[in-house]
Amino acid sequence: MGQQEIPLRVTAIRFVRAIKLFMTSDVAGSARFLLVSLIVLFGSISALNVVNSFVGRHFMTAIAERQTAEFVRQAILYTGAFAASTIASVIARFAEERLALLWREYLTRRAIGVYMADGTFYRLGVQGKVSYPDQRIAEDIKAFTTTTLSFLLMLLSSVLTVFTFSSVLWLISPLLFFTAVIYAAFGSFMTIVLGRPLIKLNYNQLDSEAAFRSGLIQVRENAESIMIEGSQQRHADRLLRQFDSLATNFRRIIGINRNVGFFATGYNWMIQIIPVVIIAPAFMRGDMEFGVITQSAAAFAMLVGAFSFIVAQFNSISNFATVVARISSFLEAVEETRRQSDHSVELIEAEGNLGYERLTLTSRTGTVLVKDLSLLIPPDTRVIVAGEDDAAGAALFRATAGLGTPGTGRIVSPPRQHVRFLGQRACAGPGTLRQILAPPKRSIETTDEQILALLRDLGLAHDLTLADLDSEQDWSRLLSPREQQLVVLASAIIAAPSHIVLEKADTIFGHELLLAILGLLAERRIACVNFAEPGAPRSAYDAVLEYGSDGSWTWTDQKQKA
């Protein structure tokens, strides 16, 4: 995905807002302390640089005039000034890294909070409005915090340097001062002209790198399927295409960096010679002492370096602009997703009830899948939902689970903590079985023995012990897809919801195990709705909701029928 154009004003507003939120957050006290410490330390470093320039001047003059006693005295002062500068610089670096980490922790927690809330992560993936949000949270926020703080401190250092060394250079030569200002302005202008395309190229490079890495991860996670299917070459070709795109974009970056490098290298070399060319004639005439030449060279380099912030840091600035644009587009997409509703089906929470009110669902092309469905599923009831058109069942399951499905009407559902959904694909993920099966906020207390007993009832605990409940593992790799489904089902049962909604449970678990599962749910008075395959057996259920290919539906109460 190419770069999304984010207006400069919007990006600037988001940038300022990010800083403001951090400075008014619950960690603002620590942040302010570290920031004030950094300002004091950078001020001290700037003052020490001025001291060093005068000490160096007298040091070099003592050498030129062969003044041994003055040479020793200035050497001691020189050593002391450098030692103080070293201590201040190291402490400043430590404080900068701590502040950057504090900021990253705050922004990452906030980003994960809004990303994972209200299904935003799912809708972002479906809508495709932002590419690789995982990278933007993991990598871009890290780059944003460290680079922003680095730039702010470099800008502070540059401002302090301008204030301190402007007077030094002016006292040496007003001509040299004006030369530094004009030279830095020319260098900044040329660097921007030559390097401006880097912003978009760096943006695309980050996406290309993420795409290539994502492709490699997919191969690793689906290695067995790829081997069974014999599709190694197809995946290899796809990876190579992704890498070719990455390499082509990076060649363009290298070319622009070459052009900027030619200019920047020559620009930096000239900084060393310009002050000597201007000051040396005065020394030759006897108007200045020798140490002034070295002091003017150092002061000129410091002042031009401060004025030439863009020249010295342009590559970093272009990367930083890319990161700000990517985070801005990510936040823009999150906010837009949370504002918008991708379907018009109204979701209503009602304790203990699951049902539909005048619900009509359509496909993406407008075909009616379910028409005017109105019913209330009784509590403590086992219901099978089946029919001729599998698309209708899939749409109804998605709508019931709160996923984006076009349509109109209402879905009445218990609060989310009282209803559990189990789709065709389950992901046990990494962690301990205790974390997966019995999270801290479960509705009832369950002993370890009861957990293992439930797993045995589901056919899972034949080789599990109490110690395995606290074993940190990637269960999505250790367990088969069917076993992962059973683990997630066990977690749902332990939570003791009022309803469990299954998708194609007959296909996943098989008829015999599904009968046992329905019996377990009946014992625990948990209502169950299974969106089954067409033609699935219906005798084990209390009721049947059958839909037709034209969107019609019928409800059959098998308990009354019996």
Side-chain angles (χ1 to χ4, degrees):
M1 180 179 291
Q3 179 178 355
Q4 299 182 34
E5 296 296 333
I6 304 296
L8 180 61
R9 185 178 64 85
V10 174
T11 300
I13 290 173
R14 291 192 182 280
F15 176 73
V16 173
R17 188 172 69 177
I19 297 176
K20 183 178 179 181
L21 285 172
F22 178 53
M23 287 302 174
T24 56
S25 66
D26 55 350
V27 296
S30 300
R32 291 195 191 101
F33 172 75
L34 289 170
L35 185 59
V36 171
S37 300
L38 283 167
I39 293 173
V40 172
L41 287 166
F42 272 83
S44 302
I45 292 169
S46 184
L48 286 168
N49 285 336
V50 175
V51 171
N52 282 338
S53 74
F54 281 98
V55 173
R57 168 179 171 174
H58 298 312
F59 180 75
M60 296 305 295
T61 299
I63 293 174
E65 296 179 0
R66 296 180 176 82
Q67 298 175 349
T68 304
E70 182 66 14
F71 166 76
V72 172
R73 190 171 75 88
Q74 294 298 328
I76 294 173
L77 290 174
Y78 222 173
T79 303
F82 275 122
S85 296
T86 300
I87 293 172
S89 297
V90 171
I91 295 176
R93 180 62 179 171
F94 169 78
E96 179 183 345
E97 290 178 344
R98 286 295 300 270
L99 183 56
L101 178 60
L102 187 67
W103 197 3
R104 183 188 179 188
E105 287 177 335
Y106 167 75
L107 280 182
T108 301
R109 292 179 189 279
R110 185 179 178 87
I112 290 175
V114 298
Y115 179 61
M116 298 300 294
D118 303 322
T120 301
F121 68 97
Y122 170 78
R123 292 197 296 274
L124 274 179
V126 171
Q127 296 170 4
K129 291 183 177 180
V130 62
S131 58
Y132 307 105
D134 53 317
Q135 186 189 47
R136 303 193 188 210
I137 294 175
E139 296 295 333
D140 292 347
I141 286 180
K142 175 185 176 182
F144 173 76
T145 53
T146 55
T147 310
T148 297
L149 190 56
S150 178
F151 281 160
L152 290 176
L153 294 177
M154 283 190 289
L155 185 60
L156 171 64
S157 178
S158 296
V159 170
L160 292 172
T161 299
V162 168
F163 277 112
T164 53
F165 278 92
S166 290
S167 57
V168 174
L169 206 59
W170 183 271
L171 290 173
I172 296 173
S173 170
L175 174 62
L176 196 58
F177 172 79
F178 286 117
T179 302
V181 174
I182 295 171
Y183 189 68
F186 167 74
S188 299
F189 173 76
M190 289 301 298
T191 303
I192 291 173
V193 170
L194 293 171
R196 188 174 180 180
L198 279 176
I199 296 175
K200 183 174 182 179
L201 290 173
N202 283 331
Y203 189 106
N204 293 336
Q205 188 67 24
L206 288 174
D207 269 355
S208 298
E209 296 279 3
F212 181 57
R213 184 169 58 252
S214 176
L216 290 171
I217 292 173
Q218 288 175 356
V219 169
R220 185 191 68 191
E221 292 180 343
N222 298 282
E224 183 175 322
S225 299
I226 292 171
M227 283 295 294
I228 292 172
E229 296 168 7
S231 57
Q232 298 95 316
Q233 190 59 49
R234 176 169 61 86
H235 288 277
D237 292 342
R238 180 171 176 268
L239 288 173
L240 290 174
R241 285 195 301 271
Q242 290 173 328
F243 182 76
D244 288 341
S245 175
L246 178 157
T248 300
N249 191 76
F250 196 63
R251 287 190 193 96
R252 297 187 187 125
I253 293 176
I254 292 172
I256 294 176
N257 281 335
R258 175 202 60 206
N259 298 337
V260 174
F262 274 130
F263 175 78
T265 302
Y267 176 89
N268 291 327
W269 276 112
M270 291 299 294
I271 291 175
Q272 302 178 43
I273 194 66
I274 288 175
V276 177
V277 170
I278 294 176
I279 299 299
F283 169 74
M284 294 175 183
R285 292 193 303 267
D287 297 337
M288 291 183 179
E289 59 189 22
F290 179 74
V292 175
I293 296 179
T294 56
Q295 185 187 25
S296 65
F300 184 86
M302 293 289 288
L303 191 60
V304 171
F307 280 128
S308 304
F309 180 78
I310 293 177
V311 178
Q313 302 295 329
F314 186 80
N315 196 41
S316 297
I317 290 173
S318 65
N319 283 320
F320 175 66
T322 297
V323 167
V324 172
R326 286 170 62 81
I327 292 179
S328 293
S329 62
F330 171 70
L331 293 175
E332 186 77 21
V334 167
E335 290 179 3
E336 184 178 349
T337 299
R338 298 185 73 177
R339 285 195 305 265
Q340 294 178 348
S341 175
D342 52 1
H343 60 92
S344 55
V345 174
E346 186 179 1
L347 299 175
I348 304 294
E349 289 189 354
E351 194 74 35
N353 291 323
L354 177 62
Y356 310 95
E357 297 179 7
R358 302 186 65 84
L359 179 67
T360 296
L361 301 178
T362 61
S363 67
R364 297 293 178 182
T365 59
T367 304
V368 175
L369 301 175
V370 177
K371 184 178 180 180
D372 202 24
L373 173 63
S374 295
L375 66 89
L376 185 65
I377 296 176
D380 190 18
T381 304
R382 267 55 57 195
V383 179
I384 182 172
V385 182
E388 301 174 11
D389 186 1
D390 196 37
L396 188 56
F397 174 81
R398 288 170 57 83
T400 308
L403 303 182
T405 308
T408 59
R410 280 183 170 187
I411 296 178
V412 181
S413 174
R416 193 69 185 189
Q417 65 270 26
H418 295 152
V419 60
R420 289 299 186 95
F421 295 88
L422 183 62
Q424 293 185 69
R425 295 180 61 185
C427 178
T432 67
L433 276 179
R434 186 185 305 280
Q435 292 169 341
I436 298 170
L437 293 168
K441 294 184 179 180
R442 60 189 185 274
S443 57
I444 61 172
E445 291 298 323
T446 306
T447 65
D448 291 352
E449 288 74 14
Q450 288 173 323
I451 292 175
L452 289 177
L454 175 60
L455 293 177
R456 280 193 295 270
D457 290 340
L458 295 174
L460 264 177
H462 52 278
D463 56 354
L464 290 177
T465 64
L466 290 176
D468 292 319
L469 293 178
D470 295 304
S471 175
E472 185 83 23
Q473 301 285 351
D474 186 353
W475 298 101
S476 61
R477 291 182 174 276
L478 292 179
L479 301 178
S480 68
R482 181 174 181 271
E483 289 172 331
Q484 290 183 64
Q485 292 277 1
L486 289 171
V487 167
V488 175
L489 176 62
S491 175
I493 294 174
I494 290 171
S498 61
H499 294 74
I500 290 181
V501 182
L502 307 173
E503 183 181 26
K504 294 183 170 48
D506 43 329
T507 301
I508 296 169
F509 302 124
H511 183 64
E512 184 176 341
L513 180 56
L514 180 57
L515 288 177
I517 292 171
L518 292 174
L520 275 174
L521 298 180
E523 291 174 7
R524 296 167 184 257
R525 303 186 65 81
I526 299 175
C528 174
V529 181
N530 177 26
F531 288 79
E533 291 276 8
R538 306 177 181 186
S539 59
Y541 298 91
D542 301 321
V544 178
L545 172 59
E546 185 169 4
Y547 49 82
S549 58
D550 58 353
S552 61
W553 58 273
T554 57
W555 171 264
T556 304
D557 189 333
Q558 299 200 135
K559 288 190 295 185
Q560 292 182 357
K561 189 176 179 180

